[in-house]
Amino acid sequence: MELWYSEKHNDDLRISMRIKESLHTERTPYQDLAVLDTVQYGRMLVLDGLVMTTEKDEFIYHEMITHVPLIAHPQPERVLIIGGGDGGTVRETLRHNSVKQVVLVEIDGRVIEAARKYLPTISCALDDERVDIRVEDGIRFVQENINAFDVVIVDSTDPIGPAEGLFNREFYQNVFHTLRPGGLMVAQSESPYMNGSFIKRMVADVGSAFPICKLYMAAIPTYPSGLWCFLCGSKEVDPEEGCSDRLDGKPLKYYTRALQKAAFQLPAFINDIVSPSELNNGE
Amino acid sequence: MELWYSEKHNDDLRISMRIKESLHTERTPYQDLAVLDTVQYGRMLVLDGLVMTTEKDEFIYHEMITHVPLIAHPQPERVLIIGGGDGGTVRETLRHNSVKQVVLVEIDGRVIEAARKYLPTISCALDDERVDIRVEDGIRFVQENINAFDVVIVDSTDPIGPAEGLFNREFYQNVFHTLRPGGLMVAQSESPYMNGSFIKRMVADVGSAFPICKLYMAAIPTYPSGLWCFLCGSKEVDPEEGCSDRLDGKPLKYYTRALQKAAFQLPAFINDIVSPSELNNGE
């Protein structure tokens, strides 16, 4: 018998992966959760029918959502992660020796439990003594914690379902206030090939809350279209210009210091999404 | 009724696209050829069951395989394209005013005819008076034309079937000799996520023929994994350092002058494919 997982990226496009075994499925208070063991990508976390992370390619997303903002900050000590219950972003954050505390605010405790049980290579740092795990709503958490963090990472699901409230102007303004002076945020921001109008609105919203707002990219094979965006909002530092070589000697698989700047060099059609021009002139 | 095209990237992974209509299928002397009209990507050319190009995303591949080597060359006048029967690389090459002649050597004349009939936005430049179309074998062509071109673009199918002989050391040495002094070549070189060992061998082969050998990338949603590589072999110029702003004012959709350098900044695991190190140190 062959078992296949198929994901509808939309009505006209699907990706399918052969499955060794369905390890776990449940309906949590917030979403459908599944852990499947795939032949191509190893174990895979699926929320509401969408791939969140896989053992084989998780390094791309987690390294790029974490190290770009942390290297841009001269001395990140307190980091807030909203979402990210699988623990991959926590693991990468703790590679920075400057970090004294990581607060992980995940609304769905079942994601954390599933990751602990089925995805140990991703969740392995959740028990580090610098990690403070809160199973609660990130929207309320940023309202109640002012001037508290150096970096905020919004490691959320897609902007439908439980994460919807993490994608609007009011939320980004609250993130601004939860950041200390000189702080910056990053949020996963979907595919430029599939979600151009969504990214355009998100750039406008983050840009209304932060003086510096820049988009960067990484190539993630298990996400729709294979190209993914991350949006930075910064109070002061230019995220393209990394401040630190803090990662020297760490065994990374995607991020390099050269990519800190290169990841922000966008294809022309994405530049047009971010700041439309009459005619793109190849510059 | 719903019609779907499914491509097996390997035994464990498939992509599927909904089809409006199958416009054309035939068995040519070299391969299976189909033109399908997809909902998501417009009309699509399929050779031996693999997506070659689509109306919606062809700009990425064609701009990146063409403009990177042509901008790296100070004054490209004669350009050789091997493969590329759809005409997209010809169209992009002719955006460079310095170009006096483009020789297109495509082994399968049926690809050219199908593109002329079904893909007019891609094949539109094939009748330009600067274009010399030869329906013949590119392997023999480079053996017989010494010191004749400034840039060679190997715009081939995958390294199985008719293109197999375009991926070995002897072929790259012949390309070296078909280039004039200061010339450079580029060849499509598959996905770093799916074909790492293939890329490793190709880097060794091109590197044995050319003093400068560098890999760059573009994000192509209809190709396996969504991330694609291109390998440059150069006699003299560093392809990262573009020599010209010849494209200023041209209406491009992917390539920008900033990407000329950024596209060569590889993720750590690809750096390891190209030049393995004991421990990647984030640099």
Side-chain angles (χ1 to χ4, degrees):
Chain A
M1 181 183 78
E2 285 198 4
L3 269 182
W4 286 77
Y5 163 81
S6 278
E7 178 170 322
K8 290 179 84 161
H9 290 168
N10 60 32
D11 287 345
D12 308 314
L13 195 63
R14 286 182 198 150
I15 189 170
S16 305
M17 302 176 201
R18 198 151 69 87
I19 301 298
K20 289 184 202 166
E21 191 182 355
S22 173
L23 297 170
H24 181 81
T25 58
E26 71 172 291
R27 172 80 203 161
T28 79
Y30 297 98
Q31 53 206 339
D32 286 321
L33 184 162
V35 182
L36 307 176
D37 194 5
T38 74
V39 182
Q40 183 75 28
Y41 290 111
R43 292 182 177 189
M44 177 166 81
L45 173 67
V46 180
L47 295 178
D48 282 345
L50 299 171
V51 176
M52 291 296 112
T53 198
T54 79
E55 286 179 324
K56 291 280 179 67
D57 82 342
E58 57 91 11
F59 70 94
I60 309 164
Y61 176 89
H62 290 129
E63 290 188 17
M64 289 301 280
I65 201 171
T66 304
H67 299 312
V68 172
L70 264 73
I71 285 292
H73 193 288
Q75 183 73 6
E77 295 182 350
R78 285 177 53 80
V79 176
L80 170 63
I81 298 167
I82 297 172
D86 57 55
T89 302
V90 169
R91 182 195 64 204
E92 293 305 314
T93 298
L94 291 174
R95 292 194 201 276
H96 294 256
N97 298 331
S98 63
V99 171
K100 294 178 178 161
Q101 191 180 34
V102 183
V103 180
L104 177 74
V105 178
E106 164 64 62
I107 200 169
D108 192 345
R110 294 301 303 153
V111 174
I112 299 172
E113 294 319 307
R116 282 189 194 278
K117 183 163 180 189
Y118 296 106
L119 303 169
T121 58
I122 304 177
S123 61
C124 52
L126 287 173
D127 292 326
D128 188 284
E129 59 185 13
R130 288 168 289 172
V131 181
D132 176 9
I133 298 177
R134 315 276 187 100
V135 178
E136 58 182 282
D137 184 358
I139 298 169
R140 183 174 301 169
F141 185 88
V142 293
Q143 288 169 343
E144 293 171 354
N145 288 272
I146 306 299
N147 196 25
F149 296 96
D150 300 306
V151 174
V152 174
I153 300 175
V154 186
D155 178 6
S156 72
T157 53
D158 294 309
I160 41 168
E164 202 174 346
L166 302 177
F167 292 92
N168 64 58
R169 201 164 286 213
E170 188 188 350
F171 172 71
Y172 301 127
Q173 283 163 348
N174 288 327
V175 170
F176 182 92
H177 293 300
T178 205
L179 284 166
R180 292 166 164 173
L184 72 163
M185 65 156 271
V186 65
Q188 76 85 359
S189 56
E190 307 287 307
S191 161
Y193 291 123
M194 313 291 282
N195 317 95
S197 58
F198 169 80
I199 292 174
K200 196 185 183 77
R201 201 179 70 231
M202 194 168 162
V203 168
D205 288 346
V206 172
S208 77
F210 285 86
I212 297 163
C213 172
K214 289 193 174 183
L215 198 69
Y216 67 96
M217 308 181 305
I220 303 177
T222 54
Y223 285 0
S225 87
L227 184 64
W228 213 247
C229 284
F230 302 88
L231 188 55
C232 255
S234 173
K235 290 189 171 187
E236 199 176 300
V237 295
D238 180 351
E240 279 186 48
E241 309 297 337
C243 302
S244 156
D245 292 316
R246 211 179 299 120
L247 293 170
D248 281 6
K250 307 275 177 173
L252 303 180
K253 290 197 281 181
Y254 196 95
Y255 179 89
T256 71
R257 266 310 256 113
L259 278 181
Q260 179 86 22
K261 192 176 190 72
F264 286 91
Q265 310 311 313
L266 307 174
F269 80 98
I270 309 182
N271 279 331
D272 280 348
I273 292 171
V274 175
S275 56
S277 63
E278 289 276 299
L279 174 74
N280 184 285
N281 66 356
E283 278 299 304
Chain B
M1 182 184 80
E2 286 196 3
L3 269 182
W4 286 78
Y5 163 82
S6 278
E7 178 170 323
K8 290 179 84 160
H9 290 168
N10 59 33
D11 287 344
D12 308 314
L13 196 63
R14 287 184 196 149
I15 189 170
S16 305
M17 303 178 200
R18 198 151 69 86
I19 301 298
K20 290 184 198 165
E21 191 181 354
S22 171
L23 296 170
H24 180 82
T25 57
E26 71 172 292
R27 173 77 204 162
T28 79
Y30 297 97
Q31 52 206 342
D32 287 318
L33 184 162
V35 182
L36 306 176
D37 194 5
T38 73
V39 182
Q40 182 75 27
Y41 290 112
R43 291 182 177 189
M44 178 166 81
L45 174 66
V46 180
L47 296 178
D48 282 343
L50 299 170
V51 176
M52 290 296 114
T53 198
T54 80
E55 286 179 324
K56 291 281 178 65
D57 82 341
E58 57 93 8
F59 70 94
I60 308 164
Y61 176 88
H62 290 128
E63 290 187 15
M64 289 300 280
I65 200 170
T66 305
H67 299 313
V68 171
L70 264 74
I71 285 292
H73 193 287
Q75 183 71 9
E77 295 183 351
R78 285 178 52 81
V79 176
L80 170 63
I81 298 166
I82 296 172
D86 57 55
T89 303
V90 168
R91 183 194 65 203
E92 294 305 315
T93 299
L94 292 174
R95 292 195 202 276
H96 293 256
N97 298 331
S98 64
V99 171
K100 293 177 178 162
Q101 192 180 34
V102 183
V103 179
L104 177 74
V105 178
E106 164 65 60
I107 200 167
D108 192 345
R110 296 300 304 153
V111 174
I112 299 172
E113 294 319 306
R116 282 188 195 279
K117 184 165 180 188
Y118 296 106
L119 303 168
T121 58
I122 303 176
S123 61
C124 52
L126 288 174
D127 293 326
D128 189 284
E129 58 184 14
R130 288 168 288 172
V131 181
D132 177 8
I133 298 177
R134 314 277 187 99
V135 177
E136 57 184 282
D137 183 357
I139 298 169
R140 184 174 302 170
F141 186 87
V142 294
Q143 287 169 344
E144 293 171 354
N145 289 271
I146 306 299
N147 195 24
F149 296 96
D150 300 306
V151 174
V152 174
I153 300 175
V154 186
D155 178 6
S156 72
T157 52
D158 294 307
I160 40 168
E164 201 173 345
L166 303 176
F167 292 91
N168 62 58
R169 201 164 284 213
E170 188 186 350
F171 173 71
Y172 301 128
Q173 281 163 349
N174 288 327
V175 170
F176 183 92
H177 294 300
T178 205
L179 284 166
R180 293 167 164 172
L184 71 163
M185 65 155 273
V186 66
Q188 75 87 1
S189 55
E190 306 287 307
S191 160
Y193 291 123
M194 313 289 283
N195 318 95
S197 59
F198 170 80
I199 292 174
K200 195 183 183 79
R201 202 180 66 231
M202 195 170 162
V203 168
D205 288 345
V206 172
S208 77
F210 286 85
I212 297 163
C213 173
K214 288 194 175 183
L215 198 69
Y216 66 96
M217 309 179 306
I220 303 177
T222 56
Y223 285 1
S225 87
L227 184 64
W228 213 247
C229 283
F230 303 88
L231 187 57
C232 256
S234 174
K235 290 190 171 189
E236 198 176 302
V237 295
D238 180 351
E240 280 186 47
E241 308 296 338
C243 302
S244 156
D245 291 317
R246 212 179 298 120
L247 293 170
D248 281 6
K250 307 276 175 169
L252 303 181
K253 289 196 280 181
Y254 195 96
Y255 179 88
T256 71
R257 260 321 247 109
L259 279 181
Q260 180 86 25
K261 192 176 190 72
F264 286 90
Q265 309 313 311
L266 307 174
F269 79 98
I270 308 182
N271 279 331
D272 280 348
I273 292 171
V274 175
S275 55
S277 62
E278 288 277 299
L279 175 73
N280 184 285
N281 67 356
E283 276 300 306

